[in-house]
């Protein structure tokens, strides 16, 4: 039962253009959403998050949009840089358990930025 | 100075053996986790400890036993290894309600 889905296994974008990564979820109880970035042979690194009370959160070149009615979120990277080439994971959680986030991850999208 | 460190990074072993993966964090976090990334690349939570207390225990075979000697360490011991245990295991830590910081992963291969 895949509660968080990233339907695009890969995405290729020209350097300087906008990268848009998408994520869908099925569990309406999720109230906190995160994006992680992962380079080969490294652990996932936190990128940006959004609470369900917001529909947009921005941090530098990264913006996450949340559409609760569609159960959809997206990550926009603009402008895209070669160092952004990585696998991006979407994750969601509902009420923390004693402060612990029980994150449910999508299967990732491999982003390649072409010079 | 690595924030969340795991050892070993690579582990190759035979079916039926027992192995352990160690994890240490120097971030001062109270909560630590073990996640498993399977062959389909999904990251799934296995366990979480808060200040040495087990608070999340997903449907994981009894052969997997986490141990937290103190809040900076969370080890994973696996008995009677099976082929299906081959995966990358990630340790993570967090502040209460905060984002998770992951280690580099430990790739376990069971032959």
């Amino acid at each position: 039962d895949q509660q968080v889905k990233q339907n695009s296994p890969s995405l290729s974008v020209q350097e300087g253009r906008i990268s848009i990564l998408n994520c869908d979820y099925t569990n309406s109880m999720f109230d906190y959403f995160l994006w992680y970035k992962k380079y080969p042979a490294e652990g996932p690194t936190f990128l940006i998050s959004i609470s369900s009370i917001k529909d947009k959160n921005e941090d530098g070149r990264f913006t996450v949009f949340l559409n609760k009615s569609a159960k959809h979120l997206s990550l926009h990277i603009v402008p895209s840089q070669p160092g952004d080439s990585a696998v991006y994971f979407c994750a969601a959680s509902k009420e923390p358990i004693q402060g612990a986030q029980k994150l449910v991850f999508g299967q990732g999208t491999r982003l390649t930025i072409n010079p | 100075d690595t924030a969340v460190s795991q050892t070993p990074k690579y582990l190759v072993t035979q079916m039926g053996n027992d192995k352990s993966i160690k994890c240490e964090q120097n971030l001062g976090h109270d909560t630590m986790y073990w996640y498993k990334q399977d062959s389909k690349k999904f990251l799934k939570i296995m366990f979480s400890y808060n200040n040495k207390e087990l608070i999340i225990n997903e449907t994981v075979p009894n052969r997997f036993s986490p141990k937290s000697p103190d809040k900076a360490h969370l080890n994973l011991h696996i008995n009677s290894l099976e082929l299906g245990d081959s995966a990358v295991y990630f340790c993570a830590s967090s502040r209460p309600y905060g984002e998770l910081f992951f280690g580099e992963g430990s790739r376990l291969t069971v032959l």
Side-chain angles (χ1 to χ4, degrees), chain A residues 36 43 98-99 101-103, chain B residues 33 35 42 50 58 97 100 103:
Chain A
Y36 278 81
Q98 294 183 40
Q101 299 282 7
K102 186 175 166 182
L103 297 183
Chain B
Y33 310 77
Y35 275 78
F42 282 102
N50 186 353
E58 288 298 282
Y97 311 100
L100 274 63

Side-chain angles (χ1 to χ4, degrees), chain A residues 59-89:
Chain A
D59 183 2
R61 296 186 298 113
F62 303 92
T63 303
V64 56
F65 295 92
L66 176 62
N67 182 335
K68 288 187 290 294
S69 59
K71 295 193 180 70
H72 177 84
L73 66 155
S74 61
L75 174 68
H76 292 210
I77 307 172
V78 56
S80 300
Q81 299 174 355
D84 296 330
S85 295
V87 177
Y88 288 79
F89 289 96

Side-chain angles (χ1 to χ4, degrees), chain B residues 1 4 12 14 23 43 46 70 77 86 100:
Chain B
D1 200 20
V4 182
V12 181
Q14 300 286 334
C23 179
L43 273 157
M46 301 174 69
D70 56 61
H77 188 75
S86 295
L100 274 63

Side-chain angles (χ1 to χ4, degrees), chain B residues 1 4 6 8 11 17 24 32 44 52 57 64 76-78 85 89 96 99 108 110:
Chain B
D1 200 20
V4 182
Q6 303 178 219
L11 193 50
N17 284 350
E24 176 182 3
M32 295 186 72
K44 293 182 180 176
K52 301 195 297 175
N57 185 353
F64 289 79
L76 183 65
H77 188 75
I78 314 170
D85 298 332
Y89 293 85
E99 68 271 14
L108 171 65
V110 182

Side-chain angles (χ1 to χ4, degrees), chain B residues 25-101:
Chain B
Q25 55 96 2
N26 62 8
L27 297 167
H29 292 162
D30 283 340
T31 307
M32 295 186 72
Y33 310 77
W34 278 109
Y35 275 78
K36 177 182 179 181
Q37 186 177 33
D38 60 23
S39 56
K40 294 184 179 177
K41 304 301 180 188
F42 282 102
L43 273 157
K44 293 182 180 176
I45 190 167
M46 301 174 69
F47 303 103
S48 177
Y49 271 74
N50 186 353
N51 202 11
K52 301 195 297 175
E53 179 190 353
L54 180 65
I55 53 172
I56 296 175
N57 185 353
E58 288 298 282
T59 310
V60 177
N62 291 339
R63 300 181 294 102
F64 289 79
S65 54
K67 284 188 172 53
S68 181
D70 56 61
K71 72 175 194 177
H73 295 84
L74 180 61
N75 303 323
L76 183 65
H77 188 75
I78 314 170
N79 289 327
S80 304
L81 279 157
E82 299 177 357
L83 293 176
D85 298 332
S86 295
V88 182
Y89 293 85
F90 287 97
C91 176
S93 71
S94 73
R95 292 184 305 272
Y97 311 100
E99 68 271 14
L100 274 63
F101 290 77

